Amino acid sequence: MAVSMRLLVRRLIRLSHRNVAVSRAAVLSRSHCHWEPLFCRSFSDDRNTHFGFETVSEEDKAKRVYKVFENVAQKYDIMNDAMSLGIHRLWKDMLLHAMHPQPGAQLLDVAGGTGDIAFRFLDYVRTQQEQKRRREARSMQLQSWQEISNSYPTIDEGGRQESRAVVCDINKEMLKVGKEKADGKGISAGLSWVVGDAEELPFDDDQFDIYTIAFGIRNVTRIDQALQEALRVLKPGGRFMCLEFSKVTNPVLARIYDAYSFQLIPVLGEVIAGDWKSYQYLVESIRRFPDQEEFKYMIEDAGFYCVQYFNLTGGVVALHSGFKL
Amino acid sequence: MAALLRGLRAGRALRGIGGALVAPTATNPRCSSLRRGFHCAALRLQDESKSDKPPSSSSTNYHEHYQAHPTDQDTTAASQGDSADDLAADEAFKTNTSYQDQSGEQGEEYETEEQLQVRILSASLEFVQEHGWSMEAIAAGAETLGLSSASTGMFNNGAGDLVLHFIAQCNLQLTEILAEQHKQVQLGQAEPKHTSDLLRDAVETRLRMYIPYIQTWPQAMSILLLPHNIPDSLKHLSNMVDDIWYYAGDRSTDVSGYHHPRSPPSSARTFLSPFHHHPHNIRPATVQMNWYTKRAVLTGIYNTTELVMVQDSSEDFQDTWNFLNNRIQDVVNMASTAKQVQSTGEAVVQGLMGAAVTLKNLTGLNQRR
């Protein structure tokens, strides 16, 4: 009797906790930090954030970032090559290699401006398809006449969807430069250019297999919102990949990297692009971005699973990947 | 099991008081993955007691576990488990509706990431014939589960993951079959088999599991030989050989005589015989070597038979089974020959000693005056 009474009391206590917690638990069940932004949204107009080493209000940051990229759009690619000594191409190749897209994958490249990732993606998929076709042709040479004739109707099976890449950027200038590059390369099939804000993507839910954001997420005002949007537009099983500058682990390399960033890069910016301040903003924004582990927790909090990161070039760049499961 | 239950209840209690202590928990994402595991298990407990599924599915899982470990400690935990399940069921019925309303994606959170990976790999096995042991097969498997092909990125080892998963599955099936046969013998419903027969049947059963994939099996074998896959494939192989010898009667258990079922492989110690796990357990060196030689011999037989099988084109692989038979016979003959050689050797040595003593007597060297 006493035991059942105790059980009953315990159950009642737990129920009362549950009723209190149920509304919060619904939010807690997805992520632990979810409710904080909900709570603070009422004060969002007065919230401050960082713009490089300055503190500005959130609306200001978006405008100023827009100005920065408007200014650098024309010389963006040249400056990338100059500042990273061409290594940024290797980083982007590593991103594609880790992505290993399967035929028929749909890619959304956010903050993809000049389209580097999208071009590489289409190249990769096309080469893979060619290799597959070549392999099939080679194997067909060993088959009997009967088998070849049987496989004729199935050769050009277009049942599988073609892979597509959508480049989305908030800045029209960057997209313009990207489109010109595409025309120059002669790529037009399977590529779209969309203007959109990473915090509020103009796409429906469950659209894309892969979402990438290369060197763009540190410019977003509210990173958690961008992560949630990424979760929304990805299909179940879809992959989120983010390439971004991060904390260098090796102290010697860190010293050299700091000196290079603060002394050389703004100078390069002034000489090549005629814009000191934009490149000063660039190196400062890199320093203000959270480090690898913290960003990993942010991605997990947004609801992604199997989150892992790889350091490239000793931590100068980190590649984070998560899945929507 | 008891520890898991305690952890679950602790997790539930934590969430219950989470409403009051939101600030600290919100800034504590460090243990998020651990709690996610608990949370998923807790959610699963609650959902499995919902209406459409049989309500005691979670409790039957617990009961099966308890039956496998029939000791006193666990029976008390079983009763605790029952009461916990009842409580969970009651609470779940009260709060089910709110959970369902909040998000329609509850289904995906019900299992851990590892379980989802296992499901994807199992689904991919059907596509191996078409695509070979490769990422395309895994992508096709993921698509049948409704996941995008990009989820193949979860498998860092790619095709190796698929092959190792298949091997683990085969080993599990083999263990179940052997356990079933063993139980039959124990219940007296079947005749106990001779050791060599049991070995032959076990290896044959195991190799027959490859028959549906035999066209692409050479590719799988080559994947297993890649340097980063070798430790895992060796581990699976040694586990399988251990299992077969265990059911063939080699009860080399630890000191206490506790009749333990195969414990999960821990570390490099898996490769050492149980004699080495207990330093105070002194056995003769010959018996220790016997443990190693038995396993080495069976490993050799298994590997060679596998190689014969992949290039065998006879009806129902009859050549392979003949080869297997002959190898096992060789081993049996070898064992008896070894014994004969030993006894002959002893006899010969004694004879020589006798001859030497006789010679010494004859030549008078043995005289002591």
Side-chain angles (χ1 to χ4, degrees), chain A residues 194-240:
Chain A
V194 176
V195 176
D197 184 356
E199 297 174 19
E200 232 183 288
L201 289 170
F203 304 108
D204 280 333
D205 297 358
D206 298 348
Q207 288 276 314
F208 298 99
D209 290 299
I210 308 170
Y211 173 110
T212 56
I213 181 164
F215 305 116
I217 201 158
R218 69 178 188 282
N219 300 314
V220 167
T221 319
R222 315 225 40 193
I223 297 182
D224 50 347
Q225 244 177 299
L227 292 174
Q228 282 168 47
E229 278 295 286
L231 192 70
R232 182 180 68 84
V233 300
L234 275 176
K235 285 188 203 161
R239 191 173 194 184
F240 166 85

Side-chain angles (χ1 to χ4, degrees), chain A residues 11 14 17-18 22 24 26 29-30 32-33 35 102 160 209-210 236-237 239 297 300 305-306 308 323 325, chain B residues 12 16 19 22 26 32 36 87 90-91 98 102 105 108-109 113 116 147-151 153-154 156:
Chain A
R11 210 188 294 178
R14 228 174 286 190
H17 276 296
R18 283 227 176 257
V22 115
R24 310 255 184 117
S29 71
R30 222 25 172 136
H32 306 292
C33 300
W35 76 281
Q102 298 296 321
R160 186 164 273 231
D209 290 299
I210 308 170
R239 191 173 194 184
Y297 291 132
E300 277 177 356
Y305 291 92
C306 284
Q308 34 178 300
F323 291 89
L325 292 176
Chain B
R12 249 182 270 148
V22 172
S32 61
R36 204 186 295 274
L87 282 176
D90 283 337
E91 289 171 8
S98 51
Q102 292 308 331
E105 288 174 5
E108 271 85 351
E109 292 183 77
E113 299 156 2
L116 182 64
L147 295 173
S148 137
S149 61
S151 54
M154 275 197 289
N156 291 329

